Amino acid sequence: MQQRMVTKGLSRAGSAPHNRCFRSARPAIKPCVRVCASATNGNGKSHASHPSAAETARTIVDIVSEGTLSTLNADGFPVGSPVSYTIDKSGQALVTLNKDTLEMQNLASNSRCSLTVQPTSFPARAVASVTLMGKIDVADKAESQFQFEVEKALYYGGLDQSAKVQELGAADFWAAEPDVLRKFAPELVKSWNEDRAEDIYRIVSHHLQVPLTEMTYAELLWVDRLGMYVRSEVTGREPEVVRVPFYRAVLDERDVRSVITMASQIAWEAERPYNPPLPSIFTDSAAAAAANN
């Protein structure tokens, strides 16, 4: 188990209380997700606390480039084959298939198929997995890439625990946009856990309304434009995965770093109620008034 004494974190906030150790590595636990229904931005308007199933499905398909293509053979049995694919400018999946392979033979007889996609490594692997269902037309065998015509998609929730399986129509799937942080999230998770673990502890402590001294563990698992998932342990409670919404949707990598830093600063200030000293003009006037009396 890795342990790290955070010294970078919040230079503005000073060192951790009692020189405590903030850990950022932990064996897996069974998720028990606590998710807020909504969050508010600076104008008081509400937005969703996490991306929709369709948005997350699009994100997964976009950040992964390999999957299992299932086709039907002559006996009617499904056959799974590892394939690679790319996403074109319009967002369509183009599956790479070699000539004279079993999957090509099967698709020539029956174009119906499915493509199951799941990230191969963490942290993205924990987010979700997706199965696209539809057709691949291989009539033009001179091509090496073939468009997957999506008719529907099956979304298997991971961190959001929204449902075991959720069916998405093709229109909903294609209308959704991949998350703006999808390319940066793994590095953001890594850097915050390794270099700024104290920030995550403080944010979750503030979000759960528990003293920082009762937070025994916190680890950032994933971040998207609307918030972040954090694995947390609090004294006297069962371990859980907490969804912490941002006060507004972020725009890019730089913006999310700013929003998380702000959330940590707010949490730090909440720990230490600060009453700024009065300007000397007021203190001098008060002293003069007291002397005259």
Side-chain angles (χ1 to χ4, degrees):
M1 178 181 300
Q2 177 186 2
Q3 294 193 348
R4 179 183 299 270
M5 180 65 68
V6 176
T7 57
K8 299 178 181 179
L10 297 171
S11 57
R12 65 191 180 287
S15 60
H18 308 299
N19 203 32
R20 66 174 293 181
C21 182
F22 292 90
R23 297 168 297 163
S24 59
R26 190 78 165 179
I29 61 172
K30 183 179 180 180
C32 176
V33 181
R34 179 185 299 194
V35 182
C36 292
S38 64
T40 58
N41 62 20
N43 296 321
K45 299 178 181 178
S46 63
H47 62 72
S49 64
H50 55 79
S52 68
E55 289 177 297
T56 304
R58 284 294 308 276
T59 296
I60 294 299
V61 172
D62 190 86
I63 63 177
V64 178
S65 60
E66 297 178 337
T68 300
L69 181 69
S70 296
T71 58
L72 296 173
N73 65 14
D75 297 328
F77 287 100
V79 178
S81 306
V83 297
S84 60
Y85 67 90
T86 58
I87 302 297
D88 65 14
K89 293 181 179 180
S90 66
Q92 301 290 326
L94 301 177
V95 181
T96 301
L97 298 172
N98 296 322
K99 300 178 182 179
D100 303 323
T101 58
L102 179 60
E103 54 268 28
M104 283 288 284
Q105 296 173 22
N106 291 343
L107 289 170
S109 301
N110 188 337
S111 62
R112 303 188 70 80
C113 57
S114 68
L115 178 64
T116 299
V117 175
Q118 182 178 25
T120 57
S121 60
F122 289 95
R125 185 174 177 82
V127 177
S129 59
V130 182
T131 295
L132 304 180
M133 305 178 72
K135 299 177 180 179
I136 296 180
D137 183 0
V138 294
D140 187 358
K141 294 185 178 180
E143 298 292 332
S144 60
Q145 287 191 313
F146 301 86
Q147 181 174 319
F148 193 107
E149 300 176 17
V150 178
E151 296 181 0
K152 60 181 178 180
L154 299 180
Y155 171 78
Y156 301 87
L159 289 176
D160 64 9
Q161 294 288 293
S162 58
K164 293 297 182 181
V165 182
Q166 185 172 344
E167 184 174 311
L168 307 172
D172 291 335
F173 178 78
W174 290 120
E177 293 288 338
D179 191 77
V180 296
L181 298 180
R182 62 192 183 280
K183 304 296 184 182
F184 312 110
E187 179 55 34
L188 287 168
V189 170
K190 181 176 183 292
S191 64
W192 237 277
N193 283 332
E194 291 184 354
D195 301 327
R196 304 187 65 175
E198 183 180 350
D199 286 17
I200 305 303
Y201 273 75
R202 291 189 185 282
I203 291 170
V204 177
S205 169
H206 181 65
H207 178 73
L208 295 179
Q209 296 296 296
V210 299
L212 182 62
T213 53
E214 294 183 13
M215 290 291 305
T216 59
Y217 182 71
E219 178 187 1
L220 180 60
L221 300 178
W222 188 253
V223 60
D224 54 62
R225 67 185 180 87
L226 297 178
M228 55 188 182
Y229 291 101
V230 181
R231 177 183 293 145
S232 71
E233 294 180 19
V234 179
T235 301
R237 297 186 185 182
E238 290 293 320
E240 61 183 341
V241 175
V242 178
R243 174 68 180 184
V244 181
F246 296 144
Y247 77 98
R248 62 170 174 80
V250 301
L251 304 175
D252 51 30
E253 179 187 11
R254 181 177 179 180
D255 194 26
V256 73
R257 290 182 182 276
S258 175
V259 167
I260 295 177
T261 299
M262 181 184 297
S264 178
Q265 177 68 31
I266 291 172
W268 180 81
E269 291 176 356
E271 288 177 43
R272 301 168 172 79
Y274 176 63
N275 295 316
L278 291 173
S280 59
I281 184 173
F282 294 108
T283 57
D284 292 347
S285 297
N292 292 332
N293 292 332

